[in-house]
Amino acid sequence: MGTDRILLLANPVVAECLDAGKELEKKLAKSGFEVARDRESLHPASAKLILLLGGDGYLMEVIQDLQFPSTPFFGVNFGTVGFLMNPRQCLEKLPATLREDKFRAEEYPVLQCEIELRSGKRLTRFAFNDIVLERMSGQSIRFTALVDDVEFNRYSGDGVIIATPGGSTAYNLAAGGPVLHPGIAAMVITPLYPHRAMPFHSLQFSLALPLHRTLRIEGHGVAKRPIRVLADGRPTDDVASIVVRDSGRRIHLLRLQQHSFVRTLSRTFIGNETV
Protein backbone atom coordinates (compact mmCIF):
# COMPACT_ATOMS: atom_id res chain seq x y z
CA MET A 1 0.00 0.00 0.00
CA GLY A 2 1.34 3.42 -0.95
CA THR A 3 2.33 5.20 2.28
CA ASP A 4 1.78 8.73 0.87
CA ARG A 5 -0.88 8.13 -1.76
CA ILE A 6 -4.46 9.20 -1.09
CA LEU A 7 -7.51 8.72 -3.27
CA LEU A 8 -9.70 11.77 -2.60
CA LEU A 9 -13.32 11.44 -3.69
CA ALA A 10 -16.02 14.09 -3.20
CA ASN A 11 -19.74 13.72 -3.80
CA PRO A 12 -20.09 15.27 -7.28
CA VAL A 13 -23.67 16.45 -6.72
CA VAL A 14 -22.86 18.51 -3.60
CA ALA A 15 -21.10 21.80 -4.37
CA GLU A 16 -19.73 22.07 -0.82
CA CYS A 17 -17.98 18.73 -1.21
CA LEU A 18 -16.37 19.72 -4.48
CA ASP A 19 -15.15 23.06 -3.06
CA ALA A 20 -13.82 21.36 0.09
CA GLY A 21 -12.13 18.72 -2.05
CA LYS A 22 -10.17 21.34 -4.00
CA GLU A 23 -8.96 23.05 -0.82
CA LEU A 24 -8.11 19.77 0.87
CA GLU A 25 -6.15 18.59 -2.15
CA LYS A 26 -3.94 21.68 -1.90
CA LYS A 27 -3.36 21.18 1.85
CA LEU A 28 -2.51 17.51 1.42
CA ALA A 29 -0.10 18.25 -1.43
CA LYS A 30 1.68 20.82 0.76
CA SER A 31 2.00 18.16 3.46
CA GLY A 32 3.76 15.82 1.03
CA PHE A 33 0.90 13.53 0.04
CA GLU A 34 0.32 12.34 -3.50
CA VAL A 35 -3.37 12.97 -4.13
CA ALA A 36 -5.51 11.44 -6.88
CA ARG A 37 -9.06 12.63 -7.55
CA ASP A 38 -10.36 9.63 -9.49
CA ARG A 39 -9.98 5.86 -9.67
CA GLU A 40 -8.48 5.99 -13.14
CA SER A 41 -5.35 7.78 -11.94
CA LEU A 42 -4.90 5.78 -8.71
CA HIS A 43 -6.21 2.28 -8.07
CA PRO A 44 -7.62 1.97 -4.52
CA ALA A 45 -5.27 -0.94 -3.74
CA SER A 46 -2.28 1.36 -4.32
CA ALA A 47 -3.52 4.04 -1.91
CA LYS A 48 -2.80 4.60 1.77
CA LEU A 49 -6.49 5.33 2.20
CA ILE A 50 -9.63 6.54 0.46
CA LEU A 51 -10.58 10.00 1.70
CA LEU A 52 -14.28 10.56 1.17
CA LEU A 53 -16.24 13.83 1.34
CA GLY A 54 -19.99 13.22 1.51
CA GLY A 55 -22.61 11.47 3.60
CA ASP A 56 -23.39 7.89 4.57
CA GLY A 57 -25.22 7.35 1.26
CA TYR A 58 -22.21 8.43 -0.76
CA LEU A 59 -20.02 6.12 1.31
CA MET A 60 -22.33 3.19 0.45
CA GLU A 61 -22.23 4.13 -3.22
CA VAL A 62 -18.43 4.32 -3.36
CA ILE A 63 -17.95 1.06 -1.42
CA GLN A 64 -20.17 -0.70 -3.96
CA ASP A 65 -18.59 0.97 -6.99
CA LEU A 66 -15.08 0.07 -5.79
CA GLN A 67 -16.23 -3.51 -5.13
CA PHE A 68 -15.61 -3.51 -1.38
CA PRO A 69 -11.89 -2.66 -1.28
CA SER A 70 -9.60 -3.57 1.60
CA THR A 71 -8.11 -0.05 1.52
CA PRO A 72 -9.39 1.87 4.57
CA PHE A 73 -11.86 4.74 4.24
CA PHE A 74 -11.70 8.06 6.08
CA GLY A 75 -15.04 9.77 5.57
CA VAL A 76 -15.82 13.41 6.29
CA ASN A 77 -19.48 14.19 6.75
CA PHE A 78 -21.24 16.56 4.34
CA GLY A 79 -24.56 14.74 4.65
CA THR A 80 -27.51 14.80 7.02
CA VAL A 81 -26.76 12.00 9.50
CA GLY A 82 -23.19 10.90 8.77
CA PHE A 83 -23.14 8.22 11.44
CA LEU A 84 -20.30 6.40 9.68
CA MET A 85 -18.37 9.57 8.93
CA ASN A 86 -16.07 11.95 10.80
CA PRO A 87 -17.16 15.52 11.66
CA ARG A 88 -16.44 18.23 9.12
CA GLN A 89 -14.48 20.20 11.72
CA CYS A 90 -11.60 17.72 11.33
CA LEU A 91 -10.71 19.12 7.87
CA GLU A 92 -8.57 21.94 9.25
CA LYS A 93 -6.07 19.59 10.90
CA LEU A 94 -6.64 16.57 8.66
CA PRO A 95 -3.23 16.58 6.88
CA ALA A 96 -1.44 16.40 10.26
CA THR A 97 -3.90 13.77 11.50
CA LEU A 98 -3.19 11.61 8.46
CA ARG A 99 0.56 12.17 8.59
CA GLU A 100 0.70 11.10 12.24
CA ASP A 101 -1.83 8.28 11.85
CA LYS A 102 -3.97 9.79 14.61
CA PHE A 103 -7.04 7.67 14.09
CA ARG A 104 -8.56 4.35 15.06
CA ALA A 105 -9.97 1.69 12.76
CA GLU A 106 -13.38 0.02 12.89
CA GLU A 107 -13.87 -3.21 10.95
CA TYR A 108 -17.21 -4.04 9.35
CA PRO A 109 -18.27 -7.28 7.61
CA VAL A 110 -19.66 -7.56 4.10
CA LEU A 111 -22.52 -10.00 3.53
CA GLN A 112 -22.73 -12.25 0.50
CA CYS A 113 -26.18 -12.94 -0.95
CA GLU A 114 -26.60 -15.81 -3.39
CA ILE A 115 -29.83 -15.25 -5.30
CA GLU A 116 -31.89 -17.70 -7.34
CA LEU A 117 -34.43 -16.08 -9.65
CA ARG A 118 -37.78 -17.53 -10.71
CA SER A 119 -36.15 -18.23 -14.08
CA GLY A 120 -33.54 -20.45 -12.39
CA LYS A 121 -30.74 -17.95 -13.02
CA ARG A 122 -28.29 -17.50 -10.14
CA LEU A 123 -26.63 -14.25 -9.10
CA THR A 124 -24.33 -13.11 -6.30
CA ARG A 125 -24.60 -9.74 -4.61
CA PHE A 126 -22.65 -8.17 -1.74
CA ALA A 127 -23.77 -5.74 0.94
CA PHE A 128 -21.95 -3.62 3.51
CA ASN A 129 -25.19 -2.13 4.83
CA ASP A 130 -28.10 -4.54 4.46
CA ILE A 131 -30.00 -7.01 2.33
CA VAL A 132 -33.74 -6.38 2.13
CA LEU A 133 -36.47 -8.69 0.88
CA GLU A 134 -39.64 -6.84 -0.02
CA ARG A 135 -42.90 -7.41 -1.86
CA MET A 136 -43.19 -6.26 -5.47
CA SER A 137 -46.99 -6.14 -5.55
CA GLY A 138 -50.00 -5.54 -3.35
CA GLN A 139 -49.74 -9.11 -2.11
CA SER A 140 -47.73 -9.92 1.00
CA ILE A 141 -44.74 -12.18 0.49
CA ARG A 142 -44.45 -15.61 2.07
CA PHE A 143 -41.29 -17.57 2.72
CA THR A 144 -39.57 -20.08 4.94
CA ALA A 145 -36.44 -18.98 6.79
CA LEU A 146 -33.79 -21.57 7.68
CA VAL A 147 -30.68 -21.10 9.81
CA ASP A 148 -27.94 -23.60 8.96
CA ASP A 149 -30.66 -25.65 7.14
CA VAL A 150 -32.83 -25.80 10.28
CA GLU A 151 -36.29 -24.35 9.68
CA PHE A 152 -36.78 -21.30 11.87
CA ASN A 153 -39.91 -19.53 10.65
CA ARG A 154 -42.69 -19.55 8.07
CA TYR A 155 -43.33 -15.91 7.38
CA SER A 156 -45.99 -13.70 5.77
CA GLY A 157 -45.71 -9.93 5.59
CA ASP A 158 -44.03 -7.06 3.78
CA GLY A 159 -40.49 -8.43 3.97
CA VAL A 160 -37.38 -8.70 6.09
CA ILE A 161 -34.10 -6.84 6.62
CA ILE A 162 -30.77 -8.63 7.09
CA ALA A 163 -28.36 -6.00 8.38
CA THR A 164 -24.67 -5.86 9.26
CA PRO A 165 -23.42 -3.84 12.24
CA GLY A 166 -22.70 -1.06 9.74
CA GLY A 167 -26.29 -1.12 8.50
CA SER A 168 -27.96 -1.77 11.84
CA THR A 169 -28.38 1.98 12.45
CA ALA A 170 -30.15 2.53 9.12
CA TYR A 171 -33.33 0.82 7.83
CA ASN A 172 -33.01 -1.90 10.47
CA LEU A 173 -33.20 0.63 13.32
CA ALA A 174 -36.11 2.45 11.67
CA ALA A 175 -37.98 -0.88 11.52
CA GLY A 176 -37.50 -1.46 15.24
CA GLY A 177 -34.38 -3.63 15.05
CA PRO A 178 -31.43 -3.38 17.44
CA VAL A 179 -28.18 -1.50 16.94
CA LEU A 180 -25.17 -3.80 16.66
CA HIS A 181 -21.88 -2.52 18.04
CA PRO A 182 -19.12 -2.83 15.38
CA GLY A 183 -17.25 -5.09 17.81
CA ILE A 184 -19.99 -7.73 17.48
CA ALA A 185 -19.46 -10.14 14.57
CA ALA A 186 -23.10 -10.71 13.70
CA MET A 187 -25.96 -9.99 11.33
CA VAL A 188 -29.45 -9.07 12.49
CA ILE A 189 -32.74 -10.14 10.91
CA THR A 190 -35.68 -7.77 11.38
CA PRO A 191 -39.18 -8.43 9.99
CA LEU A 192 -41.19 -5.76 8.15
CA TYR A 193 -44.86 -5.63 9.14
CA PRO A 194 -45.25 -9.36 9.78
CA HIS A 195 -48.78 -10.78 9.74
CA ARG A 196 -49.96 -11.69 13.22
CA ALA A 197 -52.75 -14.07 12.26
CA MET A 198 -52.24 -17.50 13.85
CA PRO A 199 -52.03 -19.46 10.56
CA PHE A 200 -48.78 -17.71 9.71
CA HIS A 201 -46.81 -17.65 13.00
CA SER A 202 -44.66 -14.95 11.40
CA LEU A 203 -41.48 -13.75 13.06
CA GLN A 204 -42.42 -10.78 15.25
CA PHE A 205 -38.99 -9.88 16.64
CA SER A 206 -35.42 -9.35 15.48
CA LEU A 207 -32.87 -12.16 15.58
CA ALA A 208 -29.11 -11.66 15.77
CA LEU A 209 -27.00 -14.42 14.25
CA PRO A 210 -23.23 -14.98 14.48
CA LEU A 211 -21.51 -14.30 11.17
CA HIS A 212 -20.47 -17.92 10.77
CA ARG A 213 -24.13 -18.96 10.46
CA THR A 214 -25.97 -19.23 7.14
CA LEU A 215 -29.46 -17.88 6.49
CA ARG A 216 -31.60 -19.34 3.71
CA ILE A 217 -34.92 -17.84 2.65
CA GLU A 218 -37.19 -19.78 0.27
CA GLY A 219 -40.12 -17.91 -1.25
CA HIS A 220 -43.61 -19.43 -1.55
CA GLY A 221 -46.01 -18.72 -4.42
CA VAL A 222 -43.58 -16.22 -5.93
CA ALA A 223 -45.50 -16.06 -9.23
CA LYS A 224 -48.46 -14.56 -7.36
CA ARG A 225 -46.39 -12.96 -4.59
CA PRO A 226 -43.23 -11.67 -6.32
CA ILE A 227 -40.17 -10.81 -4.25
CA ARG A 228 -37.53 -8.16 -4.75
CA VAL A 229 -34.09 -8.23 -3.09
CA LEU A 230 -32.10 -5.06 -2.49
CA ALA A 231 -28.39 -5.34 -1.66
CA ASP A 232 -27.34 -1.94 -0.30
CA GLY A 233 -30.33 -0.50 -2.15
CA ARG A 234 -29.55 -2.11 -5.51
CA PRO A 235 -32.57 -4.14 -6.66
CA THR A 236 -32.97 -7.61 -8.12
CA ASP A 237 -36.53 -8.59 -9.07
CA ASP A 238 -38.44 -11.88 -9.32
CA VAL A 239 -36.43 -13.71 -6.66
CA ALA A 240 -37.26 -17.30 -5.69
CA SER A 241 -34.74 -17.83 -2.88
CA ILE A 242 -31.59 -16.40 -1.30
CA VAL A 243 -28.72 -17.61 0.85
CA VAL A 244 -26.97 -15.03 3.04
CA ARG A 245 -23.59 -15.60 4.66
CA ASP A 246 -20.41 -13.80 5.61
CA SER A 247 -18.39 -13.01 2.47
CA GLY A 248 -15.11 -12.83 4.40
CA ARG A 249 -14.56 -9.34 3.02
CA ARG A 250 -14.11 -6.47 5.46
CA ILE A 251 -14.52 -2.71 5.20
CA HIS A 252 -12.24 -0.62 7.41
CA LEU A 253 -13.46 2.81 8.48
CA LEU A 254 -10.96 5.18 10.06
CA ARG A 255 -12.25 7.40 12.87
CA LEU A 256 -10.65 10.17 14.89
CA GLN A 257 -8.89 9.01 18.05
CA GLN A 258 -11.50 10.65 20.28
CA HIS A 259 -14.37 8.87 18.49
CA SER A 260 -16.66 6.83 20.71
CA PHE A 261 -19.33 4.60 19.15
CA VAL A 262 -21.59 4.94 22.18
CA ARG A 263 -21.19 8.73 22.32
CA THR A 264 -21.90 9.08 18.60
CA LEU A 265 -24.92 6.79 18.89
CA SER A 266 -26.32 8.84 21.76
CA ARG A 267 -25.81 12.17 20.04
CA THR A 268 -27.10 11.04 16.66
CA PHE A 269 -30.19 9.09 17.60
CA ILE A 270 -31.09 10.25 21.09
CA GLY A 271 -29.97 13.86 20.82
CA ASN A 272 -27.98 13.73 24.04
CA GLU A 273 -25.34 16.46 23.74
CA THR A 274 -23.98 15.93 27.27
CA VAL A 275 -22.18 12.65 26.61
Side-chain angles (χ1 to χ4, degrees), residues 49-266:
L49 57 85
I50 300 167
L51 185 50
L52 207 70
L53 307 183
D56 288 340
Y58 185 56
L59 173 65
M60 299 298 110
E61 179 184 325
V62 172
I63 286 174
Q64 281 271 1
D65 289 346
L66 296 183
Q67 300 181 348
F68 307 91
S70 58
T71 305
F73 286 85
F74 187 98
V76 181
N77 185 38
F78 280 80
T80 304
V81 179
F83 186 76
L84 299 170
M85 313 293 279
N86 294 285
R88 199 182 307 187
Q89 292 86 341
C90 75
L91 283 174
E92 184 178 351
K93 298 180 180 179
L94 189 54
T97 300
L98 298 179
R99 177 62 67 193
E100 298 169 19
D101 286 343
K102 288 185 176 180
F103 37 62
R104 63 177 63 187
E106 291 179 345
E107 183 178 88
Y108 290 89
V110 175
L111 296 179
Q112 176 176 315
C113 182
E114 297 163 10
I115 302 172
E116 182 176 353
L117 304 181
R118 285 177 54 202
S119 65
K121 184 178 179 180
R122 296 178 182 272
L123 306 168
T124 300
R125 298 287 185 262
F126 297 91
F128 163 80
N129 207 45
D130 55 33
I131 294 163
V132 179
L133 275 78
E134 64 179 21
R135 58 190 176 104
M136 293 177 58
S137 69
Q139 295 278 356
S140 63
I141 60 174
R142 295 180 182 175
F143 59 75
T144 298
L146 303 97
V147 177
D148 291 343
D149 294 323
V150 176
E151 183 174 317
F152 170 66
N153 187 234
R154 290 179 178 266
Y155 172 92
S156 178
D158 280 6
V160 68
I161 304 165
I162 304 123
T164 67
S168 67
T169 55
Y171 193 13
N172 167 74
L173 182 61
V179 172
L180 294 179
H181 190 283
I184 298 174
M187 55 179 148
V188 62
I189 304 158
T190 298
L192 295 170
Y193 297 101
H195 287 180
R196 295 179 178 271
M198 290 303 294
F200 301 114
H201 299 287
S202 298
L203 179 67
Q204 302 290 331
F205 53 85
S206 295
L207 172 69
L209 290 177
L211 279 177
H212 65 272
R213 301 298 184 186
T214 299
L215 173 68
R216 176 187 296 274
I217 293 179
E218 299 175 349
H220 299 306
V222 291
K224 179 182 178 182
R225 304 171 183 276
I227 298 174
R228 175 183 292 116
V229 169
L230 299 101
D232 282 353
R234 302 189 178 195
T236 301
D237 291 351
D238 294 316
V239 171
S241 67
I242 67 169
V243 176
V244 180
R245 55 169 56 95
D246 180 15
S247 71
R249 302 183 186 189
R250 296 292 181 266
I251 296 297
H252 298 89
L253 301 185
L254 301 181
R255 313 301 294 260
L256 298 174
Q257 282 186 334
Q258 64 268 33
H259 167 73
S260 163
F261 177 83
V262 173
R263 183 180 296 115
T264 301
L265 183 69
S266 181

